[in-house]
Amino acid sequence: MSVIKIIPVSVLSIISVIGSASALRYDTDDFSFRLTGYGTAGVIEPDFEKPDFLGDWRARAQINYNINNSYTIGTVYSLDAAALDMDDYKHDLFAFLESRSLGRIEVGFTDSVARKLSVGIPDVGGMRVNDRPMFYKKIHPRYAVISDSAITTGYNALRMNIVSAPINGNQYGLSVSGLTDDYDYSVDIGIKLRRPSGKLKTAYSFGASLTSGLDEWVADAYTPPVTADWRAQGFMGMNLQYNSWIWGLNARAIYDKNPVGVVSDGVSFGTGVSYDLLSYTVSLSYILSDTGIWDSDVHNRATHTGIASFRYKYTKNVDLWMSLGITSDTPFLSVALRTEF
């Protein structure tokens, strides 16, 4: 297990307010268009010596056409900072057919249902704890880490997602992907069980995935590429909400068969709690990544991350947040202004 070293990091972010909750919206009886997203800009200053710019953003466009009262077709395109970090010019690019009573089919380039039906842990800061964590972008871990808490099989392969409409609060999904140089094929399943009414609201998520023939595949953002015969993954998560309190936890397990190069499979675990009071929200989050645990010839490498965050809701679409965190290599302090549009 690695030794914790104290290296202060500060972040100061400044961003202009860029509009209302919907930057662009157009509706007719049968047709609708939406453009949404967020933006955060800032400076990261490791050890209070040399400041470095740190930015994050996402933009998403969606077009819907209502065939009749039951069926809708549409297309989605989105791009974000994490995708550009991986030299990709899309995060989502797919078409869909949706039935209010049956569910939805997606065909194109997007995340699998195992990821889309997962639940994350509470964190009110802007470091993207549950989705390609931004602290790994500037605070590089010493060893390979599992940087995403939920199952990911990428979004660069041609994929078909099938997910049911909510059935008594529950949803079920299947995903099949292939036609990529990264792997031969991948199959994912996902389940979400929700009870959104009552004093105690609950959400549970389960997912599993099998990916065959991995060839220099960058599975998680900011992690080394994977070459292996196959990769199996499992996920489970839970969120409990009682009044203004939310508690969440999740766990992910990855096993690579005959991996070549840097070993990056293992387990990850996350838990967190948040409390909301009027315009203020606070949270505490903890994440463990432990790689190399399945191979007796490789030393397992544990990376711990703890984050305390505070958010002030200035307006409907402008947040001021601050996070104080520590990883197994680097503590950090971040302050940012984030806008949604």
Side-chain angles (χ1 to χ4, degrees):
M1 185 175 296
S2 56
V3 179
I4 296 177
K5 299 185 294 184
I6 305 300
I7 306 175
V9 177
S10 70
V11 177
L12 176 63
S13 289
I14 302 173
I15 190 169
S16 60
V17 178
I18 51 181
S20 61
S22 292
L24 183 59
R25 174 174 176 171
Y26 176 77
D27 294 288
T28 67
D29 291 340
D30 299 323
F31 175 85
S32 66
F33 173 79
R34 299 285 188 278
L35 177 63
T36 57
Y38 68 83
T40 303
V43 177
I44 187 168
E45 190 178 87
D47 209 15
F48 299 100
E49 291 180 355
K50 184 179 179 181
D52 189 12
F53 176 78
L54 182 67
D56 186 33
W57 55 271
R58 173 173 290 179
R60 185 178 191 273
Q62 178 169 326
I63 299 173
N64 286 19
Y65 177 74
N66 297 322
I67 300 174
N68 51 41
N69 291 333
S70 299
Y71 291 93
T72 299
I73 60 173
T75 59
V76 172
Y77 174 75
S78 74
L79 181 64
D80 59 19
L84 288 186
D85 289 340
M86 302 173 71
D87 295 324
D88 192 12
Y89 291 93
K90 65 182 182 308
H91 183 179
D92 286 313
L93 178 59
F94 64 90
F96 66 87
L97 170 65
E98 188 170 59
S99 165
R100 291 178 175 84
S101 59
L102 298 177
R104 178 177 172 118
I105 298 176
E106 300 174 345
V107 178
F109 302 92
T110 186
D111 290 316
S112 72
V113 294
R115 186 175 184 87
K116 292 188 176 188
L117 294 181
S118 64
V119 297
I121 62 174
D123 181 81
V124 302
M127 301 300 287
R128 279 198 269 109
V129 166
N130 295 294
D131 182 19
R132 301 170 179 89
M134 192 162 56
F135 48 80
Y136 287 133
K137 181 177 179 179
K138 294 294 183 178
I139 306 171
H140 303 290
R142 187 186 308 176
Y143 312 113
V145 296
I146 300 172
S147 64
D148 281 303
S149 59
I151 285 177
T152 176
T153 49
Y155 49 83
N156 291 319
L158 184 62
R159 182 185 306 277
M160 180 175 67
N161 289 336
I162 303 174
V163 62
S164 71
I167 304 171
N168 297 322
N170 306 330
Q171 283 186 282
Y172 310 89
L174 170 69
S175 175
V176 180
S177 64
L179 299 181
T180 174
D181 294 332
D182 296 330
Y183 52 78
D184 295 336
Y185 65 86
S186 185
V187 179
D188 299 51
I189 59 172
I191 301 173
K192 180 180 280 188
L193 312 175
R194 297 179 67 246
R195 297 295 180 269
S197 59
K199 236 179 183 182
L200 180 64
K201 301 175 177 61
T202 62
Y204 301 92
S205 176
F206 306 91
S209 169
L210 177 65
T211 306
S212 177
L214 287 64
D215 184 12
E216 291 291 310
W217 175 44
V218 180
D220 294 13
Y222 319 123
T223 59
V226 180
T227 297
D229 292 348
W230 49 264
R231 165 171 283 199
Q233 302 182 69
F235 170 86
M236 61 183 301
M238 176 189 73
N239 276 180
L240 301 179
Q241 180 178 357
Y242 181 78
N243 293 331
S244 297
W245 289 94
I246 299 177
W247 174 54
L249 61 83
N250 55 32
R252 177 185 177 193
I254 305 172
Y255 176 77
D256 291 336
K257 180 65 173 180
N258 297 326
V260 177
V262 179
V263 175
S264 57
D265 60 355
V267 297
S268 70
F269 169 81
T271 187
V273 62
S274 69
Y275 179 74
D276 184 67
L277 178 63
L278 300 176
S279 298
Y280 304 91
T281 311
V282 294
S283 68
L284 291 172
S285 308
Y286 168 76
I287 304 165
L288 165 68
S289 166
D290 199 355
T291 57
I293 64 174
W294 315 117
D295 193 338
S296 60
D297 296 328
V298 176
H299 294 294
N300 65 301
R301 306 295 192 182
T303 301
H304 304 268
T305 302
I307 301 175
S309 297
F310 165 83
R311 182 180 66 186
Y312 170 63
K313 196 76 173 175
Y314 180 69
T315 66
K316 183 179 180 180
N317 62 316
V318 178
D319 295 343
L320 174 67
W321 59 263
M322 177 177 67
S323 294
L324 177 64
I326 183 170
T327 73
S328 292
D329 293 311
T330 308
F332 59 88
L333 172 67
S334 60
V335 181
L337 191 64
R338 179 177 186 241
T339 67
E340 296 183 359
F341 60 91

